[in-house]
Amino acid sequence: MKCSLRVWFLSVAFLLVFIMSLLFTYSHHSMATLPYLDSGALGGTHRVPPGARAPGGGPTGHFDGNISPVWTRENMDLPPDVQRWWMMLQPQFKSHNTNEVLEKLFQIVPGENPYRFRDPHQCRRCAVVGNSGNLRGSGYGPDVDGHNFIMRMNQAPTVGFEQDVGSRTTHHFMYPESARNLPANVSFVLVPFKALDLLWIASALSTGQIRFTYAPVKSFLRVDKEKVQIYNPAFFKYIHDRWTEHHGRYPSTGMLVLFFALHVCDEVNVYGFGADSRGNWHHYWENNRYAGEFRKTGVHDADFEAHIIDMLAKASKIEVYRGN
């Protein structure tokens, strides 16, 4: 009798778990497939000067001008879902109070949004320069250098490649493991994947105590402290949710920079994204055209991200220069 009751209880428990699982799956799928509504941000906070391509609105209404791409004192508190998602990107054994870490960091760097106030008479033209080998021999350098903002990411050398990639840089996006020293007139934009990255930048600009995250990092960093900006994890997740739509574990650095530009610029021109004319994926400073194995890591969905870029270009939100 006891055995029969035990079997009966177990059967009922498994049935309940199965039903709840089905309900959760259906609910999650239904929410995930709801169309994104246009927030109307273009008509409010995002200015578009006459003749400029409107970056906002998005071809399918994904754009939300209310989410700041920069993490500041004003938006330190992350929504719980963002906090959980961000902390799982690169999980750490030791937990940190994010707000306490930011409070200390913002005693070293400004912690303000430099894009809040805009000149209504100026069209802010921005070049987002990727690292694709299709830049080799393109001759895009002078055109790139003619923009107000020139945004680069990770290694992105310019010396020796000026004719194709330009010589100027106003914003350089990096994470701790890819960071390098920058000239005084360049904004270092940290893309943090974990609280330890925030501790690292504070250390690298002061005591130099942190030398390792999941890989060796620079103990000291020579950048202009007044120009340091921190990429907002809420904006990171917004791109993952609304634009890359959970394709890949998280968006590539290229996607992060592109949408940063779309939110702070009036005109966005894109260089050095995608494969070269032969279909090879490699960096412009690499002589080996077949060195693009990074595309197959599975962390990012390069094909879906290429689709997003094509969609934005067809909708005249960006201009894409394909190179060679």
Side-chain angles (χ1 to χ4, degrees):
M1 184 65 179
K2 289 183 179 179
C3 186
S4 299
L5 283 172
R6 187 178 301 167
V7 171
W8 184 83
F9 279 122
L10 285 173
S11 299
V12 171
F14 279 123
L15 181 62
L16 287 172
V17 169
F18 177 73
I19 292 171
M20 291 300 292
S21 176
L22 285 177
L23 288 172
F24 176 80
T25 302
Y26 176 78
S27 173
H28 184 267
H29 178 73
S30 299
M31 289 299 292
T33 53
L34 285 174
Y36 291 108
L37 302 177
D38 192 339
S39 65
L42 264 182
T45 58
H46 201 92
R47 176 185 60 83
V48 182
R53 289 192 297 277
T60 55
H62 293 22
F63 184 89
D64 185 351
N66 295 315
I67 304 176
S68 170
V70 185
W71 209 358
T72 67
R73 288 187 178 89
E74 292 185 359
N75 61 10
M76 279 199 310
D77 295 324
L78 296 178
D81 63 317
V82 174
Q83 181 80 27
R84 287 191 298 269
W85 177 81
W86 179 63
M87 291 180 68
M88 290 307 295
L89 291 180
Q90 291 179 5
Q92 301 291 291
F93 291 110
K94 184 178 180 180
S95 62
H96 301 277
N97 185 306
T98 306
N99 280 24
E100 290 181 2
V101 174
L102 285 173
E103 287 283 2
K104 293 178 181 178
L105 175 58
F106 290 150
Q107 294 176 15
I108 302 172
V109 302
E112 298 171 357
N113 184 355
Y115 312 105
R116 175 181 295 178
F117 303 108
R118 304 275 291 277
D119 182 350
H121 304 293
Q122 182 189 31
C123 173
R124 183 181 286 164
R125 300 180 65 244
C126 298
V128 176
V129 187
N131 294 325
S132 171
N134 66 30
L135 286 169
R136 290 286 287 269
S138 66
Y140 288 149
D143 189 47
V144 168
D145 284 342
H147 290 77
N148 302 103
F149 287 172
I150 301 162
M151 303 181 180
R152 305 183 193 271
M153 61 211 74
N154 298 328
Q155 192 169 340
T158 56
V159 177
F161 304 97
E162 294 89 345
Q163 188 59 32
D164 295 330
V165 307
S167 59
R168 294 181 55 233
T169 304
T170 61
H171 297 68
H172 205 126
F173 294 71
M174 295 178 282
Y175 43 89
E177 296 78 18
S178 70
R180 63 185 182 85
N181 298 329
L182 296 174
N185 61 341
V186 178
S187 293
F188 170 53
V189 186
L190 174 69
V191 181
F193 286 81
K194 50 192 176 296
L196 181 58
D197 294 349
L198 305 175
L199 291 168
W200 166 78
I201 185 62
S203 168
L205 296 176
S206 56
T207 62
Q209 291 179 331
I210 298 178
R211 300 183 179 184
F212 193 91
T213 55
Y214 66 81
V217 292
K218 292 178 70 68
S219 54
F220 288 100
L221 192 67
R222 290 198 303 274
V223 297
D224 188 339
K225 292 181 183 180
E226 296 304 312
K227 287 184 172 289
V228 171
Q229 300 168 33
I230 312 298
Y231 204 99
N232 186 1
F235 192 78
F236 198 156
K237 189 174 187 296
Y238 150 71
I239 299 169
H240 182 60
D241 289 343
R242 294 200 177 190
W243 291 97
T244 58
E245 298 176 353
H246 299 186
H247 286 76
R249 281 197 59 227
Y250 49 81
S252 68
T253 310
M255 281 288 103
L256 299 183
V257 179
L258 173 60
F259 283 101
F260 187 103
L262 282 167
H263 279 250
V264 304
C265 305
D266 301 304
E267 178 181 324
V268 178
N269 296 309
V270 179
Y271 305 82
F273 276 55
D276 65 16
S277 58
R278 301 180 187 179
N280 297 316
W281 293 72
H282 61 292
H283 300 120
Y284 62 80
W285 60 87
E286 294 171 338
N287 291 322
N288 179 9
R289 286 182 173 269
Y290 306 100
E293 291 301 311
F294 65 89
R295 182 171 179 263
K296 302 176 183 178
T297 61
V299 176
H300 315 302
D301 190 329
D303 294 325
F304 192 78
E305 292 190 355
H307 162 71
I308 293 171
I309 291 171
D310 289 341
M311 179 177 65
L312 289 167
K314 287 176 183 176
S316 299
K317 307 302 179 184
I318 62 175
E319 187 78 26
V320 181
Y321 294 82
R322 303 289 180 180
N324 291 316

